[in-house]
Amino acid sequence: MALDTRTDRRPSLAATLWGSSVGKKTVMAVSGLIMLLYLVVHMLGNLKIFFGAAAFNHYAHWLRVVGEPFMHEEWTLWLVRVVLLAAAVAHATSAYQLSRRDIRARPGKYVHRKPRSSYATRTMRWGGIILGLFLVWHLLDLTTGTVHSGFRPGHPYQNVVDTFSTWYGNVIYLVAMLALGLHVRHGFWSAAQTLGVGSRSRDRALKTTANALALVLTVGFVSVPVAVMTGVVS
């Protein structure tokens, strides 16, 4: 008589969590907040361009030597990049899988659709795609210089001014920043609900915070190309 040597292996806690909709929403919320924190810091750094080329270039150089001498040159910068890449992949993957799961659960169209919910979902989906494509272009433009014909390594101020001296550079950036504002506005609110922070007593404060964050980030990022276009920064 053959013996059944198979053992029942229970899935790990991480696998169980990831397999559930709640787990995916939690991953999306946490990864989104990580990227949001980076965006706030990144925006504040971008505003240094208003203090002139020397200040902005010095700031860009400082980013490469943060943590020295304990951290070697660019180690901290690469650590941040790895964390952001992991957060972006986790965010996009969980969002995609949740979207596919939602479609499978609702193969037919509702007779009575919910306009506000549908609008928010479409905004988040297309906003995420726009931001993903923009991120690739942004890195190729101002980090590697691959799509930037006048790119000058080690001269970030001049590279920024050069990019925003072109109509297409401004259009791409402005569209992406508007998409970012909408994404942050809805995403922050959704993350708060997912992580259990939301409640009736806090709803108003959370909505105000979401709107304020979206507005500040949009205005902060958009102010740079507008300053170049108007000659304030040149």
Side-chain angles (χ1 to χ4, degrees), residues 60-88:
H61 173 72
W62 174 79
L63 290 176
R64 298 177 179 277
V65 297
V66 174
E68 286 191 342
F70 178 74
M71 299 290 282
H72 192 62
E73 183 177 352
E74 292 196 12
W75 278 14
T76 302
L77 186 59
W78 274 105
L79 179 62
V80 172
R81 287 171 175 169
V82 169
V83 171
L84 286 173
L85 178 61

Side-chain angles (χ1 to χ4, degrees), residues 20 23 30 60 78-79 84 91 101 103 125 130 132 139 145 149 155 170 176-177 183 189 201 218-220 230:
S20 68
V30 173
W78 274 105
L79 179 62
L84 286 173
H91 194 77
R101 181 171 292 184
I103 292 173
R125 183 180 298 123
I130 290 171
L139 291 173
S149 59
H155 295 80
N170 287 313
M177 292 307 101
H183 205 77
W189 167 256
S201 61
T218 302
V219 172
T230 57

Side-chain angles (χ1 to χ4, degrees), residues 145-178:
T146 306
V147 298
H148 191 150
S149 59
F151 185 78
R152 298 173 60 190
H155 295 80
Y157 181 93
Q158 290 76 7
N159 292 332
V160 170
V161 172
D162 187 50
T163 285
F164 295 133
S165 295
T166 62
W167 68 267
Y168 58 86
N170 287 313
V171 170
I172 292 173
Y173 196 85
L174 292 174
V175 170
M177 292 307 101
L178 292 176

Side-chain angles (χ1 to χ4, degrees), residues 44-63:
L44 292 174
N46 282 1
L47 295 180
K48 286 185 175 291
I49 200 167
F50 290 100
F51 294 94
F56 191 74
N57 288 340
H58 177 71
Y59 165 69
H61 173 72
W62 174 79
L63 290 176

Side-chain angles (χ1 to χ4, degrees), residues 15 21 27 76 95 100 123 159 161 167 169 171 173 177 180 188 193 199 209 217 220 234:
S21 294
V27 169
T76 302
R100 297 302 302 172
T123 299
N159 292 332
V161 172
W167 68 267
V171 170
Y173 196 85
M177 292 307 101
L180 174 66
F188 182 84
Q193 304 307 309
S199 66
T209 302
L217 285 172
S234 62

